Amino acid sequence: MKLDIRHESTALYMQPLREGGSLPGLVEATDGFKYVAKFRGAGHGTKALIAEFIGSEIARAAGFRVPELIFLDLPEDFGRTEPDEEVQDLLKGSAGLNLGVHFLSGALTWDVLANRMDELTASRLVWLDAFLTNIDRTARNTNMLLWNRELWLIDQGASLYFHHSWSDWEKAALSPFPYVKDHALIRHATRMEEADAEMRARITPEVIDAVVDAVPDDWLAASGTPASVAEQRDVYRNFLKTRLSNSQIFVSNASRTRKTLV
């Protein structure tokens, strides 16, 4: 199994998207389509791109709708004429390989109260975020969109938060994920055991290998982690496979947590 990720260059910087703390930007690529560009020069550097890539492709493999990701080249002199100094500095610091997320024009934020979701889907999404240790899908910031009357997931960059310290990943892999209490859908996640069986059938060790193998060497080399590119890949693989084989730890915690909230 191998992921087929397209590679494009940035043709036009259109505008900053200031909703996110990392200042992503709306760009047009050489294929003529618009993308939300996640820049390597932003706050958490390439670690945010690694988390976004792994989280998004795992979500896609799990059966969720996720905008297409592309590898997005940014020329060294790009943005030289940008009048906003903050944006110009960001673009200068992001020369090289970045991440593009297909722009869903006209999409609306998914409102947990106004938009209906069945309990199995809610449980599957809670499972996914607990598996990825994604701390950023709260009621205040769902990172879910309604586009063409369908649910789409965006912004998985807060996943895999263990990699910001890169210490004791084995312990982190067995975490019950206490942040599940803040998940936007935890109160609706009544079918966690059923979700666990379905997600484990979709997210196999082979899927994990394919996703981690597709992370660019360049991002790993620039991550600032005190480990080689090959060692980092091994840790990501082993972290995810350990969580997969011990999913009952975070599934049980999610079920217990939901009961305390309803």
Side-chain angles (χ1 to χ4, degrees):
M1 179 179 178
K2 184 177 181 181
L3 297 190
D4 184 18
I5 309 296
R6 293 190 299 114
H7 198 137
E8 300 287 343
S9 292
T10 308
L12 175 67
Y13 180 84
M14 302 178 72
Q15 66 184 70
L17 299 175
R18 297 187 180 276
E19 294 88 350
S22 60
L23 200 64
L26 182 62
V27 306
E28 183 176 303
T30 44
D31 61 0
F33 290 104
K34 294 177 183 176
Y35 296 89
V36 176
K38 305 297 182 78
F39 296 113
R40 63 189 297 145
H44 290 300
T46 60
K47 283 186 178 178
L49 306 188
I50 294 166
E52 180 83 30
F53 182 84
I54 292 176
S56 295
E57 292 304 329
I58 290 289
R60 196 188 315 281
F64 289 101
R65 295 179 185 88
V66 181
E68 181 191 9
L69 304 185
I70 64 169
F71 297 135
L72 189 64
D73 272 322
L74 192 70
E76 285 191 15
D77 59 349
F78 200 88
R80 184 177 295 170
T81 60
E82 170 60 44
D84 186 317
E85 290 187 6
E86 181 184 12
V87 173
Q88 187 178 123
D89 289 343
L90 175 63
L91 295 177
K92 286 181 179 178
S94 300
L97 192 64
N98 296 273
L99 181 67
V101 182
H102 191 86
F103 180 61
L104 304 181
S105 180
L108 302 173
T109 298
W110 183 281
D111 188 318
V112 174
L113 297 178
N115 300 119
R116 299 290 297 268
M117 182 183 297
D118 67 88
E119 293 179 342
L120 180 56
T121 301
S123 300
R124 290 174 60 239
L125 190 46
V126 169
W127 189 102
L128 175 72
D129 289 326
F131 172 67
L132 293 170
T133 62
N134 180 10
I135 61 176
D136 196 18
R137 203 181 308 282
T138 65
R140 290 189 302 173
N141 187 35
T142 63
N143 285 325
M144 298 184 289
L145 297 178
L146 182 64
W147 192 60
N148 291 340
R149 299 183 179 181
E150 295 175 326
L151 170 68
W152 290 75
L153 305 185
I154 60 169
D155 291 346
Q156 276 70 234
S159 302
L160 307 172
Y161 61 84
F162 83 91
H163 70 175
H164 293 292
S165 62
W166 207 261
S167 62
D168 205 2
W169 68 264
E170 295 95 339
K171 180 179 179 181
L174 297 174
S175 164
F177 191 58
Y179 297 102
V180 76
K181 64 182 175 58
D182 300 318
H183 197 283
L185 297 169
I186 184 61
R187 289 174 174 81
H188 305 283
T190 62
R191 300 170 67 178
M192 288 301 298
E193 293 293 340
E194 190 175 346
D196 184 46
E198 182 176 329
M199 298 293 272
R200 285 168 59 89
R202 288 176 176 269
I203 303 173
T204 63
E206 292 74 21
V207 166
I208 291 171
D209 283 338
V211 171
V212 173
D213 285 345
V215 175
D217 285 354
D218 178 55
W219 292 354
L220 295 166
S223 69
T225 297
S228 70
V229 167
E231 289 168 340
Q232 289 180 66
R233 283 195 203 282
D234 285 343
V235 169
Y236 284 118
R237 283 194 196 96
N238 291 330
F239 174 85
L240 291 167
K241 290 178 182 180
T242 299
R243 283 194 78 68
L244 183 67
S245 61
N246 292 277
S247 62
Q248 197 58 41
I249 294 174
F250 60 80
V251 167
S252 297
N253 181 62
S255 296
R256 287 193 301 269
T257 300
R258 188 194 68 82
K259 290 176 182 177
T260 68
L261 297 172
V262 298

